Amino acid sequence: MAVHDGPVVPAQSAGQEERHGHGHGMREGWYPCPSGAAQVRYWDGTSWTDQTRPDLLGWVHGPRVLDLPGVFAYGRDPEADGSGRPGPLDPTLWRRVRNALIALPILYIALILPAGYLLTAIGLSVGVARIIYLVVLVVICGSYGKWLIALRHLWARYRPEAKTAPAPPPARPDLWKDLRQAGYDSAARRLDEELAEGELTDVDYVRVARVVQQSARSAQSGESRERLRPVAEQIEEYGGAAFVHESRQRDLPVPRLVQHDLITGQARLGVAVATPRNPATHQNQWFALDTEVLRTSMLVVGPPGSGKTRSFARPIIELLGLQTLVGLASVVVIDPTGSAFGPAVLPGFFDIDIDPNRRPDAAPDDRSNWGFDLFGGASSPDEAADRLAGAVLPPETAHRDPAADSAARNALYAVISGFHERESRYPTLRELIDAVLRDSPVQLLNERLRLLDRPALIDLFDGRSRRFSMREINRPTRVRIALPEGSSPQAARILARLAIAQFVQVVAAPDADRSVFKGLVVDEAGRFVDEYVVQGLQRARAANAGIVLLTQSMGQFPEHLRSAVFTGTGCKAVFAGVEPQDARYFAEYWGTQWSAETTVTTGSSTTTGSGHISTPGGKKEKSVIQSITGNTAVEYSRSVATRAIERPVWSASEIINDVPTGHALISLATPDGIRTPPVLVNLRG
């Protein structure tokens, strides 16, 4: 996949290329790619080069239909969707039409004598009686057979089309209309020049256009020029690099794994399979995610090797990373293995890389030379102690031994509040461990804090010059937190729970910036979730934030939290090869539906001179056949019964056996309550 998926205007038009006959005599420059891809390719005067650029102008003005959660909007033509001819007539309706047509002559012949006698008895002539009788019969049969609906359908499908001259393509709107209307033509020309030269990326366009439009909307009548002046000055000076992210990146530093449409904020994951199990609205459509559905949080369950990291987590991280570069989001990634999203996989991707396993010889300005603020996000000692206790104490302690949990929390609060009152600051990790071991009588708290007494963790929390505070996600930033699971698995869990709790704490704070979407992606999440995080799943929705929990099995979550985690996440995804218990969770959540079940029973009845023997039967479809051996008669019968039954949308067995490798069952929800049924998606499509 190319680094860009949408941007740049060709220097020559497609019509010019055709007139020059496949490149013969063309001048050097950028032309539509001869492969037909949505990009332009450089012609050096004699041959095509490997230099390509996205067609930004075509992408900006490309067709989009944003109507259904989960359907990729870019590339769908609203005019084509509205003017297409209908498909074949519904089989059920067609059967009614056919049956009514068959019944009409039969009823006419069968009832003509009694109906004629009745109509002539009231004084009508024979001719008038027959006309009235025929009209009444046609109305009855037509009403039953829905002939008017069928005729309208057939006319819409097979009506002749008048030949009209093709309309000229509409003029493309000005991308920088607000700047020109305010009188800043030089700023608009600077952007047009970069667009023509291929220097403007889709990230640049969305970022600059958003700032310009926001400034223009906020301007009062007659003041738009003054409001746009600082914006135009930056554009004149920096061009497409104006208002760039603090990383100075104008695009992702790695090739994009999937296609993105930054105008709608969607990432295309795969294609919905054309199966009757999928909703008709999604079949054969590109399946996509955006931050709007991620606001309801997401649970992803898949065994190792199922593709949930590469096919699901990576596209979501890319999506949030691009939204960060345009100034609309921030993202925190918890990387338990330290390698799934590390520098070897996503070099230069994250602005802040917190890695306890950092090499001692790393450069001081290395991205991984970041520490972690032990109390980041806390506004008071009480809040700081509560969040730290939730991370340090085992998640099941509050459920199994509330007294021990309360004692540990009170002891930790006493230490932190006392230190804060004396020193007017929070203690370092070294100071906290020493104070707790010296002053706390609670053995559980002492034992758990000793797990953090590791040189790598002391260096992470106390020794590094730059320390990340979770409050920084109120501005667009990309953060990765690696865990030392290989050397200190218990300490790694404490660090992960602390980071997740601080994330929930920050997004729910009254002073949080709601204009920036805050995303948290947690791999192997089952080991790091506690009751506070479960409560945060609901808080995130109203705070313009979302949490993506990836796990190998629901069994990794604490038993008393599994149901709350499952119901607290609006979006669900399950991959091939899940365990039976996980499949049952999803089958129960997606519920049941009414469907028609047809039962066909066949049999025969034999009649002899001595008696009558019959087998189950019903409607006769064949006449009596006389046996050549005598007076024995064999009657063959067949009955068809249709009944409505309630069956699972996807049963546990079907989830286990019918979801192919490389596929996932995905259901989505939006904050305003719209839900999609489970959709089988080919993530390799």
Side-chain angles (χ1 to χ4, degrees):
M1 181 67 67
V3 174
H4 310 287
D5 288 299
V8 161
V9 62
Q12 306 291 336
S13 69
Q16 287 174 306
E17 179 188 5
E18 292 172 359
R19 287 195 298 270
H20 287 295
H22 301 290
H24 296 294
M26 286 196 306
R27 292 177 306 203
E28 183 177 358
W30 293 94
Y31 296 88
C33 184
S35 67
Q39 60 188 11
V40 291
R41 187 178 293 273
Y42 193 76
W43 173 260
D44 63 7
T46 57
S47 62
W48 295 107
T49 67
D50 292 333
Q51 293 178 276
T52 60
R53 293 174 180 165
D55 181 10
L56 179 61
L57 200 58
W59 167 73
V60 171
H61 298 295
R64 288 175 178 83
V65 178
L66 187 62
D67 56 353
L68 296 169
V71 177
F72 195 55
Y74 180 69
R76 298 175 62 200
D77 190 348
E79 295 183 1
D81 291 345
S83 62
R85 294 180 182 269
L89 195 64
D90 181 71
T92 303
L93 182 59
W94 172 243
R95 281 194 295 269
R96 293 176 69 102
V97 172
R98 181 194 60 190
N99 292 340
L101 285 171
I102 294 173
L104 178 61
I106 297 174
L107 292 174
Y108 181 81
I109 296 172
L111 300 177
I112 190 169
L113 292 178
Y117 177 79
L118 179 62
L119 292 173
T120 54
I122 62 175
L124 297 177
S125 65
V126 175
V128 174
R130 288 182 177 178
I131 293 174
I132 294 176
Y133 168 59
L134 180 60
V135 170
V136 171
L137 203 57
V138 168
V139 170
I140 293 173
C141 291
S143 177
Y144 168 79
K146 300 186 182 299
W147 288 351
L148 288 178
I149 296 175
L151 288 173
R152 284 197 298 265
H153 177 92
L154 293 173
W155 170 254
R157 189 177 186 193
Y158 298 109
R159 71 183 185 274
E161 285 190 355
K163 295 183 178 179
T164 57
R172 290 176 169 177
D174 185 4
L175 295 182
W176 319 111
K177 180 180 178 181
D178 292 324
L179 287 174
R180 287 192 171 90
Q181 285 183 341
Y184 297 105
D185 291 334
S186 57
R189 284 197 303 271
R190 171 71 187 271
L191 294 172
D192 286 337
E193 290 171 0
E194 292 195 7
L195 177 69
E197 294 172 1
E199 298 177 4
L200 202 69
T201 68
D202 54 348
V203 175
D204 293 334
Y205 168 75
V206 173
R207 185 186 65 251
V208 174
R210 183 179 63 86
V211 174
V212 170
Q213 291 167 5
Q214 286 180 344
S215 300
R217 282 197 301 266
S218 64
Q220 301 294 328
S221 177
E223 300 178 2
S224 59
R225 181 176 177 84
E226 293 305 317
R227 290 293 185 100
L228 281 172
R229 181 183 298 279
V231 174
E233 289 175 351
Q234 283 212 42
I235 293 174
E236 290 179 18
E237 182 176 358
Y238 300 107
F243 322 110
V244 71
H245 184 257
E246 62 181 16
S247 66
R248 316 306 299 174
Q249 292 178 359
R250 297 172 63 179
D251 205 337
L252 295 181
V254 294
R256 300 181 189 178
L257 192 63
V258 300
Q259 182 180 356
H260 296 263
D261 182 27
L262 293 184
I263 290 180
T264 58
Q266 291 181 306
R268 195 182 77 181
L269 298 187
V271 63
V273 179
T275 172
R277 290 182 178 275
N278 277 346
T281 52
H282 288 70
Q283 292 180 24
N284 274 332
Q285 298 284 349
W286 289 111
F287 194 86
L289 294 179
D290 55 31
T291 54
E292 187 68 10
V293 298
L294 292 181
R295 277 180 58 191
T296 63
S297 296
M298 172 171 278
L299 174 66
V300 184
V301 180
S306 61
K308 67 179 184 297
T309 300
R310 177 178 173 80
S311 301
F312 222 87
R314 272 282 303 275
I316 291 176
I317 293 172
E318 279 187 5
L319 166 66
L320 297 178
L322 287 168
Q323 293 295 306
T324 298
L325 293 181
V326 301
L328 294 175
S330 60
V331 57
V332 179
V333 178
I334 307 295
D335 187 0
T337 64
S339 59
F341 312 108
V345 179
L346 297 172
F349 186 94
F350 295 99
D351 307 309
I352 298 173
D353 199 344
I354 302 170
D355 192 351
N357 304 312
R358 181 180 66 93
R359 301 186 312 275
D361 58 345
D365 59 346
D366 186 78
R367 289 176 182 267
S368 63
N369 191 29
W370 278 86
F372 190 78
D373 189 344
L374 189 63
F375 304 103
S379 58
S380 65
D382 186 16
E383 197 174 1
D386 189 52
R387 295 287 73 79
L388 182 59
V392 170
L393 301 176
E396 62 273 9
T397 301
H399 181 70
R400 296 180 179 176
D401 193 352
D405 182 79
S406 298
R409 290 175 184 271
N410 291 336
L412 188 60
Y413 170 71
V415 170
I416 293 176
S417 61
F419 189 96
H420 188 272
E421 186 176 352
R422 292 191 305 271
E423 305 292 338
S424 299
R425 64 177 178 87
Y426 292 114
T428 64
L429 178 59
R430 179 77 274 165
E431 293 169 339
L432 178 66
I433 293 175
D434 293 341
V436 168
L437 295 180
R438 182 181 62 249
D439 302 333
S440 172
V442 182
Q443 188 65 23
L444 174 63
L445 179 62
N446 299 347
E447 292 175 355
R448 297 295 296 181
L449 274 179
R450 283 195 183 98
L451 296 174
L452 297 178
D453 195 1
R454 303 285 188 275
L457 294 177
I458 296 296
D459 175 64
L460 178 72
F461 287 105
D462 298 345
R464 302 184 184 180
S465 58
R466 298 179 297 178
R467 285 193 297 172
F468 168 71
S469 173
M470 194 61 73
R471 289 189 180 276
E472 294 183 36
I473 64 173
N474 279 306
R475 58 182 177 84
T477 188
R478 299 163 295 178
V479 184
R480 168 182 169 264
I481 302 176
L483 302 180
E485 279 214 327
S487 57
S488 308
Q490 291 294 330
R493 296 185 181 188
I494 293 175
L495 174 58
R497 286 200 294 269
L498 180 62
I500 298 171
Q502 287 186 3
F503 177 89
V504 174
Q505 190 176 40
V506 167
V507 301
D511 59 346
D513 186 354
R514 301 290 194 268
S515 66
V516 177
F517 176 86
K518 302 168 189 65
L520 174 66
V521 180
V522 187
D523 199 8
E524 306 299 335
R527 301 192 295 271
F528 313 133
V529 170
D530 56 17
E531 291 183 354
Y532 183 71
V533 176
V534 172
Q535 297 171 6
L537 292 172
Q538 297 297 331
R539 298 178 185 175
R541 182 176 308 190
N544 194 24
I547 302 175
V548 181
L549 304 176
L550 299 103
T551 183
Q552 296 181 14
S553 171
M554 290 296 297
Q556 293 185 343
F557 291 99
E559 184 176 359
H560 66 286
L561 295 178
R562 290 172 196 167
S563 178
V565 169
F566 204 89
T567 56
T569 49
C571 302
K572 309 284 190 299
V574 58
F575 282 73
V578 293
E579 298 177 358
Q581 182 60 46
D582 296 330
R584 283 193 287 272
Y585 271 110
F586 284 93
E588 292 175 3
Y589 173 78
W590 286 324
T592 59
Q593 63 183 357
W594 290 97
S595 60
E597 181 185 73
T598 302
T599 303
V600 180
T601 305
T602 60
S604 63
S605 60
T606 305
T607 304
T608 65
S610 60
H612 183 79
I613 304 172
S614 64
T615 58
K619 179 182 177 183
K620 296 180 181 179
E621 293 194 347
K622 292 187 178 182
S623 61
V624 176
I625 302 175
Q626 296 295 330
S627 174
I628 62 173
T629 59
N631 61 352
T632 302
V634 180
E635 180 181 326
Y636 295 97
S637 59
R638 177 176 178 266
S639 65
V640 180
T642 302
R643 60 173 181 167
I645 63 169
E646 191 175 13
R647 64 177 304 275
V649 176
W650 278 84
S651 68
S653 176
E654 290 167 343
I655 293 174
I656 296 170
N657 299 309
D658 294 350
V659 177
T661 303
H663 293 61
L665 270 175
I666 308 171
S667 64
L668 302 179
T670 62
D672 53 3
I674 299 175
R675 293 182 178 271
T676 67
V679 180
L680 182 62
V681 180
N682 180 4
L683 298 173
R684 300 174 180 176

